[in-house]
């Protein structure tokens, strides 16, 4: 019996808490990142500190007064996981948010299993880190309240009962038959059962049927101490007897249990009286782990399987088809004129079109079919278990009919059509690679015939690629001769100073039959065939030769921008090639600006970071082209030692006094650029209104048709001397 203690109030009342500042420690080896996120997390009642190394962090954490640790995994001296293990060993109660650029799924899962509250990727939305910090601080407030309450009520049996009832975990006791003789009130919040409904019931009533065999050992545990069951993952079902998934508050728990023993009067040995245990809800952790795993094999925009998962499913389906003697089909789908949507309305509307298309296409398929996004506006479909080859054609017809209804793009109707290529097993290939390649060939066949249709692959379609092969041969000949290409130069101006500060070199091909060809018509072919390196060398040689000529005429302040292909960055000799060209024409390195695409930041980042550092150490300037279109993060921006960023023309095109989104984006980009000490340049400026708004947004350097179209070298030199935006170095007339 519990004995009452007179004149002592053990009621669980929590006194008003004094206002205590919440303490946040940011640990990252990059000072700019620490400063940026110090500003993002700043709020009234918060104390924010910084450390640049793991040893500094450990020394600070030993004071045990830090509420939240924002931790980068890759530190110069100690790995973040080692710090977390050290904290567990030292019983340091600080909550940890891992904030890392490490894209590895295993690193994220390991961090969560090491006790991290949340894993946030650096290239993600900054709001994710802010929200995570807010949630941790709220939880710390609750923990402090609970700690105060514990101090008031310790040493009492009443306190023990209260703590059990207020525990965030299910606490229970079973008799020798596995029936509940005690369960705390938490079971009602998690599973919907009242305590009275479960007392006397067998534990199996709350265990999912598929987990019963696995759960039997833990719920009937007789062992104690280190040999007892710990962290056994078990699904518990709700009162409605349906396992609810994450979206509907599923209950996934880890269970720890041990045997209970008592001594009968006169007995010399203890006898087994039942089992007690604790079940902790780990739903959020499981959700985080499954989310990370999902992101590795799915396209984040549409939620569809990505090319990795699609190829894996295709391989499995082929194995089954071979064993059962069945037929299967592969579709390769390309949205016609998708680039028109991106160029006209911007990438946001393009993304919305991709999501809408994915929804409609999926509705046209059978339950066992797989729709995947290969990338860009390309999709693939796996059609297993086909009776005849005509079954794939019927699905293609159904999809084309569904697309006759227009999509809403930027408030207007847009009729999206598709080109569909089909390949069949075993007629058109026996491996995933063969089937995908042949479906791709069939898709390009229908594109060449006018788009908006479908074709099944036939061997004769190889001849349909003769034009492409001819163009490839023509490009190779043009590179050998070197006299069919010409460089055009588009001015880059300072709007406030009214001068030309630089120019971008743009290649054109005077094809002997097709006439003047823009780079979009042959650069992809050059990249695919490996001729891009030779083409880049031609551009570097001609552009630097022309720059040397202009410098000899007194135009010494001009900055030359040259685009390089991502393929150039796959070669380790890129710095040496650039240095060789600079030396050949006696051009100072800081007069040249190498433009790289934003997507290069996220592909093989570590290698490309090293290459960019080499370019910068040699004196070259490096710019990010089309900034803002590939969702790169502040983390990539601070790790790549670039000198400037170019705001993509899609943002500039939408810039007007009534379109606040583009203005807000450009303002944000400008703020980011200035915080990193970078120059910004807006491309695609075509109207005076855009020029005025850009100037108000602190973007002074511009490029676009408002000032000049790309010009041949001779006309560009005239522009430098006689235009409204002359070079500050132009010869003075005496």
């Amino acid at each position: 019996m519990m004995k009452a203690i007179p004149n002592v109030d053990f009621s669980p009342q929590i006194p008003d808490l004094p206002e205590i500042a919440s303490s946040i420690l940011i640990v990252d080896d990059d000072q700019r990142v620490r400063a940026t996120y110090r500003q993002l997390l700043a709020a009234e009642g918060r104390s924010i500190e910084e450390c640049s190394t793991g040893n500094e962090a450990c020394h600070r954490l030993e004071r045990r007064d830090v509420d939240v640790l924002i931790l980068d995994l890759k530190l110069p001296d100690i790995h973040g996981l080692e710090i977390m293990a050290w904290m567990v060993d030292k019983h340091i109660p600080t909550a940890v948010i891992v904030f890392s650029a490490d894209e590895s799924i295993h690193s994220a899962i390991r961090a969560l299993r090491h006790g991290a509250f949340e894993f946030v990727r650096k290239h993600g939305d900054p709001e994710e880190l802010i929200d995570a910090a807010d949630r941790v601080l709220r939880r710390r407030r609750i923990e402090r309240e609970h700690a105060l309450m514990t101090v008031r009520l310790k040493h009492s049996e009443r306190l023990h009962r209260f703590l059990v009832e207020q525990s965030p975990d299910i606490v229970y006791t079973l008799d020798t038959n596995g029936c509940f003789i005690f369960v705390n009130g938490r079971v009602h919040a998690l599973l919907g059962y009242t305590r009275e409904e479960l007392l006397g019931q067998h534990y199996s009533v709350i265990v999912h049927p598929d987990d019963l065999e696995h759960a039997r050992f833990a719920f009937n545990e007789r062992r104690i101490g280190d040999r007892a069951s710990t962290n056994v993952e078990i699904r518990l079902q709700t009162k409605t007897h349906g396992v609810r998934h994450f979206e509907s508050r599923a209950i996934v728990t880890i269970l720890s249990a041990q045997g209970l023993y008592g001594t009968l009067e006169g007995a010399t040995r203890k006898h087994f009286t039942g089992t007690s245990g604790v079940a902790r809800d780990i739903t959020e952790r499981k959700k985080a782990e499954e989310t990370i795993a999902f992101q590795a094999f799915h396209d984040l925009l549409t939620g569809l399987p990505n090319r990795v998962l699609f190829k894996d499913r295709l391989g499995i389906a082929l194995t089954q088809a071979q064993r059962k003697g069945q037929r299967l089909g592969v579709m390769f789908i390309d949205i016609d004129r998708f680039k028109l949507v991106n160029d006209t309305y911007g990438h946001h509307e393009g993304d919305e079109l991709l999501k809408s298309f994915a929804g409609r296409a999926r509705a046209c398929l059978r339950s066992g079919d797989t729709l995947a996004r290969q990338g860009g506006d390309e999709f693939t479909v796996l059609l297993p278990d086909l009776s005849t080859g005509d079954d794939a054609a019927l699905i293609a017809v159904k999809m084309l009919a569904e697309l006759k209804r227009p999509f809403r793009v930027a408030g207007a109707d847009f009729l999206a059509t598709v080109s569909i290529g089909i390949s069949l097993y075993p007629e058109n290939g026996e491996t995933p690679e063969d089937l995908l390649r042949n479906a791709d060939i069939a898709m390009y066949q229908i594109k060449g015939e006018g788009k908006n249709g479908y074709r099944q692959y036939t061997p004769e379609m190889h001849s349909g690629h003769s034009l492409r092969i001819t163009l490839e041969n023509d490009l190779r000949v043009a590179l050998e001769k070197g006299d069919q290409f010409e460089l055009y130069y588009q001015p880059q101006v300072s709007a406030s100073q009214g001068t030309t500060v630089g120019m971008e070199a743009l290649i054109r091909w005077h094809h002997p039959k097709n006439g003047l060809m823009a780079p979009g018509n042959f650069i992809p072919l050059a990249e695919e065939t490996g001729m891009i390196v030779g083409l880049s060398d031609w551009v570097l040689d001609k552009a630097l030769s022309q720059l040397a000529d202009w410098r000899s005429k007194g135009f010494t302040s001009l900055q030359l921008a040259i685009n390089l292909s991502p393929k150039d960055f796959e070669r380790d000799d890129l710095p040496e090639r650039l240095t060789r060209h600079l030396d050949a024409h006696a051009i100072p390195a800081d007069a040249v600006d190498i433009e790289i695409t934003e997507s290069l930041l996220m592909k093989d980042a570590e290698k490309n970071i090293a290459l960019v550092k080499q370019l910068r150490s040699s004196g070259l300037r490096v710019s990010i082209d089309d900034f803002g279109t590939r969702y790169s993060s502040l983390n990539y921006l601070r790790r790549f030692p670039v000198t400037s960023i170019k705001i993509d023309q899609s943002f500039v095109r939408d810039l007007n006094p009534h379109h606040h989104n583009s203005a807000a984006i450009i303002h944000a980009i400008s703020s980011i650029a200035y915080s990193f000490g970078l120059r910004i340049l807006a491309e695609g400026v075509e109207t005076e209104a855009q020029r005025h708004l850009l100037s108000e947004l602190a973007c002074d350097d511009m490029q676009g048709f408002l000032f000049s179209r790309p010009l041949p070298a001779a006309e560009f030199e005239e522009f430098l001397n006689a235009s409204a935006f002359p070079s500050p170095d132009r010869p003075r007339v005496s």
Side-chain angles (χ1 to χ4, degrees), residues 8 78 110 113 150 159 171 182 208 278 340 361 363 366 435 438 451 466 541 596:
V8 179
I78 304 175
R110 285 175 63 197
R113 289 180 174 173
T150 301
L159 167 63
V171 182
F182 170 80
H208 182 258
V278 176
L340 177 64
R366 304 166 301 172
L435 291 170
N438 291 338
K451 308 177 181 179
S466 59
D541 181 63
I596 62 176

Side-chain angles (χ1 to χ4, degrees), residues 588-600:
D590 61 2
V592 178
D593 199 342
I594 300 300
E595 294 191 356
I596 62 176
T597 62
E598 190 179 12
S599 59
L600 188 68

Side-chain angles (χ1 to χ4, degrees), residues 477-505:
V477 171
L479 271 174
E480 292 173 357
K481 292 184 175 180
D483 58 358
Q484 296 181 13
F485 300 112
E486 181 181 4
L487 287 183
Y488 279 49
Y489 300 88
Q490 187 168 31
Q492 297 175 342
V493 306
S494 168
S496 63
Q497 298 177 12
T499 59
T500 298
V501 295
M503 59 282 181
E504 180 179 3

Side-chain angles (χ1 to χ4, degrees), residues 36-262:
T36 298
Y37 283 96
R38 184 187 186 108
Q39 293 179 355
L40 288 174
L41 296 173
E44 184 177 353
R46 291 185 182 179
S47 171
I48 301 178
E49 300 177 57
E50 303 174 14
C51 289
S52 60
T53 68
N55 282 319
E56 290 179 24
C58 292
H59 181 72
R60 177 62 186 87
L61 289 168
E62 284 182 332
R63 288 159 56 183
R64 299 176 181 271
D65 60 353
V66 176
D67 292 303
V68 183
L69 173 63
I70 310 296
L71 179 63
D72 187 6
L73 289 181
K74 293 186 177 179
L75 297 171
D77 52 350
I78 304 175
H79 195 275
L81 294 181
E82 295 179 64
I83 295 176
M84 294 170 65
W86 173 84
M87 292 172 64
V88 172
D89 185 58
K90 294 292 184 179
H91 303 289
I92 293 177
T94 300
V96 181
I97 297 175
V98 173
F99 183 56
S100 176
D102 192 343
E103 296 290 336
S104 168
I105 299 172
H106 299 296
S107 293
I109 293 176
R110 285 175 63 197
L112 292 170
R113 289 180 174 173
H114 271 68
F117 176 80
E118 193 153 345
F119 185 96
V120 180
R121 288 188 172 90
K122 284 189 178 179
H123 67 269
D125 189 340
E127 287 294 332
E128 294 180 13
L129 178 61
I130 297 171
D131 292 343
D134 289 342
R135 290 196 301 273
V136 174
L137 290 173
R138 284 195 297 269
R139 189 179 76 170
R140 297 289 287 182
R141 166 86 179 180
I142 294 171
E143 289 173 349
R144 282 199 296 267
E145 293 173 350
H146 187 73
L148 282 177
M149 183 171 55
T150 301
V151 170
R152 287 195 66 188
L153 301 176
K154 70 178 181 178
H155 303 311
S156 74
E157 185 176 348
R158 188 172 182 180
L159 167 63
H160 173 73
R161 289 181 178 274
F162 179 77
L163 292 178
V164 169
E165 288 303 320
Q166 296 301 314
S167 171
D169 305 327
I170 297 175
V171 182
Y172 67 89
T173 304
L174 305 175
D175 62 17
T176 55
N177 296 317
C179 296
F180 288 102
I181 57 176
F182 170 80
V183 64
N184 68 345
R186 184 62 173 163
V187 74
H188 183 261
L190 292 182
L191 301 180
Y193 289 97
T194 65
R195 185 201 320 264
E196 291 72 21
E197 286 177 308
L198 288 183
L199 292 178
Q201 295 291 322
H202 193 264
Y203 67 81
S204 59
V205 73
I206 66 170
V207 179
H208 182 258
D210 292 345
D211 288 358
L212 272 175
E213 185 62 26
H214 180 56
R216 181 167 62 87
F217 298 99
F219 278 103
N220 291 304
E221 182 61 79
R222 289 174 171 263
R223 296 170 297 181
I224 61 175
D226 294 340
R227 298 179 61 216
S229 297
T230 58
N231 297 335
V232 181
E233 187 174 312
I234 294 172
R235 289 175 294 170
L236 301 183
Q237 63 183 6
T238 65
K239 185 178 178 180
T240 56
H241 300 288
V243 175
R244 297 181 293 183
H245 296 287
F246 292 124
E247 294 83 356
S248 54
R249 300 171 55 87
I251 302 303
V252 182
T253 65
I254 52 173
L255 186 71
S256 298
Q258 63 178 353
L260 295 175
Y261 292 85

